[in-house]
């Protein structure tokens, strides 16, 4: 039950930010020109990475359900690796955009871009930490039900990205 309350609070946070972003986008349609400067290919790669890592979580849940705890821990480790790839691509994007002068102070679009993607990246890091803790316990056969909980959280992180990618990268 606590997991669902936590996710509901996260939905309120991201939902409020996305709704506010959409209101500003409606008021300032010229933002679409700013979105043309995002690295769409990098965003697409990150979408693929997150969706693939979600598949690994599903497989980890299945392995834990069938008491194959070593396999579940390895699959959770692969999911964490996907998180590292996501963060590496995001770091490349940020460095490219900042070097090109697309910083939060440039416009409200870039302020929203860094706020939304930065908050999302923090959630990816949080998911990676939780998944590592669960993987270490599951490897010993402890608390295998937590694989489902971290999986639900990871899917939430994916769903948020599925909303952010078209809003921020494909809006141009």
């Amino acid at each position: 039950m606590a997991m669902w309350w936590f996710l509901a609070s996260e939905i309120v946070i991201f939902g409020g930010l996305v709704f506010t972003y959409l209101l500003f986008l409606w008021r300032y349609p010229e933002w679409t020109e700013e979105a043309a400067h995002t690295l769409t290919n990098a965003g697409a790669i990150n979408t693929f990475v997150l969706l693939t890592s979600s598949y690994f979580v599903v497989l980890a849940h299945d392995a834990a359900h069938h008491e194959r705890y070593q396999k579940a821990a390895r699959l959770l480790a692969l999911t964490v690796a996907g998180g590292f790839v996501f963060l590496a691509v995001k770091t490349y994007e940020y460095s490219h955009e900042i070097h090109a002068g697309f910083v939060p102070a440039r416009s409200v679009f870039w302020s929203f871009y860094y706020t939304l993607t930065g908050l999302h990246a923090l959630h990816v890091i949080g998911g990676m930490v939780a998944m590592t803790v669960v993987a270490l316990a599951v490897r010993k056969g402890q608390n295998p039900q937590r694989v489902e909980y971290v999986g639900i959280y990871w899917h939430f992180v994916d769903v948020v990205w599925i909303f952010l990618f078209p809003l921020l990268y494909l809006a141009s």
Side-chain angles (χ1 to χ4, degrees):
M1 185 66 168
M3 183 66 182
W4 294 112
W5 277 110
F6 174 71
L7 288 180
S9 69
E10 295 294 310
I11 289 170
V12 169
I13 292 168
F14 277 104
L17 279 171
V18 167
F19 184 72
T20 305
Y21 170 82
L22 290 173
L23 287 176
F24 272 90
L25 184 61
W26 181 44
R27 177 72 173 96
Y28 303 103
E30 63 273 11
W31 276 13
T32 57
E33 296 170 16
E34 295 283 335
H37 300 290
T38 58
L39 299 179
T40 305
N41 289 340
I45 289 169
N46 268 345
T47 302
F48 176 77
V49 167
L50 282 182
L51 292 177
T52 302
S53 67
S54 264
Y55 177 67
F56 290 142
V57 168
V58 170
L59 294 178
H61 179 249
D62 182 65
H65 180 72
H66 290 97
E67 299 181 1
R68 293 179 289 192
Y69 301 130
Q70 295 292 326
K71 182 178 181 180
R74 281 193 307 273
L75 289 164
L76 289 176
L78 284 174
T79 305
V80 172
F84 277 114
V85 171
F86 178 89
L87 294 173
V89 172
K90 200 72 214 148
T91 300
Y92 167 76
E93 282 184 75
Y94 280 172
S95 65
H96 175 81
E97 290 155 350
I98 290 170
H99 182 72
F102 301 112
V103 294
R106 179 184 168 99
S107 71
V108 179
F109 171 82
W110 289 102
S111 294
F112 270 107
Y113 172 83
Y114 285 105
T115 300
L116 286 166
T117 59
L119 185 61
H120 181 264
L122 287 175
H123 282 75
V124 169
I125 292 168
M128 292 166 59
V129 169
M131 210 160 299
T132 301
V133 170
V134 170
L136 291 174
V138 166
R139 191 174 63 186
K140 299 173 189 171
Q142 300 169 345
N143 301 314
Q145 76 282 3
R146 291 184 179 169
V147 173
E148 183 178 5
Y149 302 147
V150 293
I152 290 170
Y153 178 78
W154 198 253
H155 294 316
F156 166 77
V157 169
D158 285 358
V159 168
V160 169
W161 184 255
I162 294 299
F163 277 97
L164 295 182
F165 179 61
L167 286 174
L168 298 172
Y169 293 82
L170 304 177
S172 59

